[in-house]
Amino acid sequence: MSTTQSERLRELLEPLVSSQGLDLEEIAVDSVGRKRVLRVVVDSDTGADLDQIADVSRALSAKLDETSVMGEGAYDLEVGTPGAERELTEHRHYTRAVDRLVKFQLTEGGDLVARILTVDDDGVDLEVPGVKGRKATTRRLAFGDIAKARVQVEFSRKDKKDMKEEEEA
C-alpha cells in the first residue's frame, strides 16, 4: 500500500486520466501562501485540447471530492499540459518530440542541440544543425548517453506545410 500523498493521488487519479485517453505525467501538491494547490499535468501522443482538459478536470474534481486523500483543508485543482519547454524523461516523451529541437545534456559532459528525427527502444536519431554555413549532419544518441533533455522553443521555424508550398512555387 502506498504511503505518500503523491503515490495515493497517482493511484486514485491515473485510472480516471487514462479513461479520458490521456497520460498522467505529473502530480504536485504545493503551498501557495495559506492555500494548497494540486497540480496535475496530462498529455497524449496527439496533445490535449481544452475540452479534454476540462473533462478530465471535472472528473478528477468529482473523484477528489469523494475521498479524503487531500485532507480536510481547502485546495485548488489545476489541470494542464506539460508546456512548450518540457523535459523529456520517458520514452513516450521522446516519441512525442519527433521533429522538435531538443537540448541534450550528455552523460559524458557537454550539451548538444539537435532535432529528433526518429526514436526507437535504444535511442534517438538526430539532425545536428550545421554551423557557419555547413550542412546539417545526423547523429545517433543512445538513451544511456543522455543525462537530461528539454524541448526548445522555436519562433522562426517554418512548418512542413510552409516548406512544401515554397518548393512547389
Side-chain angles (χ1 to χ4, degrees):
M1 185 75 180
S2 296
T3 55
T4 69
Q5 183 180 32
S6 180
E7 290 170 333
R8 290 190 306 270
L9 283 165
R10 182 169 286 280
E11 286 176 4
L12 179 70
L13 303 180
E14 195 157 32
L16 283 173
V17 172
S18 295
S19 73
Q20 301 283 329
L22 300 170
D23 295 317
L24 179 58
E25 297 292 348
E26 184 180 330
I27 295 175
V29 179
D30 298 313
S31 294
V32 180
R34 293 183 177 182
K35 273 190 167 179
R36 290 181 305 149
V37 178
L38 170 59
R39 290 188 175 89
V40 178
V41 178
V42 298
D43 201 8
S44 77
D45 290 343
T46 57
D49 64 30
L50 289 176
D51 290 334
Q52 287 176 301
I53 299 286
D55 290 345
V56 78
S57 181
R58 282 190 290 276
L60 296 180
S61 180
K63 188 65 166 181
L64 289 164
D65 288 346
E66 294 173 5
T67 71
S68 62
V69 71
M70 286 298 293
E72 296 300 316
Y75 67 92
D76 290 330
L77 172 64
E78 294 180 1
V79 180
T81 57
E85 290 187 350
R86 75 164 312 151
E87 187 170 350
L88 307 178
T89 58
E90 303 281 337
H91 186 273
R92 68 178 179 264
H93 299 163
Y94 288 91
T95 302
R96 292 173 185 164
V98 166
D99 202 38
R100 301 285 308 270
L101 195 64
V102 175
K103 182 177 182 179
F104 297 91
Q105 289 180 352
L106 306 177
T107 55
E108 64 191 28
D111 293 338
L112 172 67
V113 177
R115 188 168 312 284
I116 297 179
L117 299 174
T118 61
V119 179
D120 60 31
D121 291 340
D122 301 318
V124 293
D125 291 313
L126 306 172
E127 178 185 71
V128 181
V131 180
K132 296 182 181 178
R134 294 185 178 157
K135 288 192 172 207
T137 58
T138 57
R139 178 175 175 179
R140 174 79 179 163
L141 199 56
F143 287 121
D145 296 333
I146 302 169
K148 281 188 176 181
R150 184 174 299 277
V151 172
Q152 301 296 290
V153 174
E154 294 181 86
F155 293 106
S156 62
R157 180 167 189 247
K158 295 179 182 179
D159 65 19
K160 290 180 180 182
K161 179 183 165 194
D162 292 338
M163 290 188 284
K164 187 175 182 179
E165 288 173 359
E166 283 184 6
E167 289 173 3
E168 292 173 354

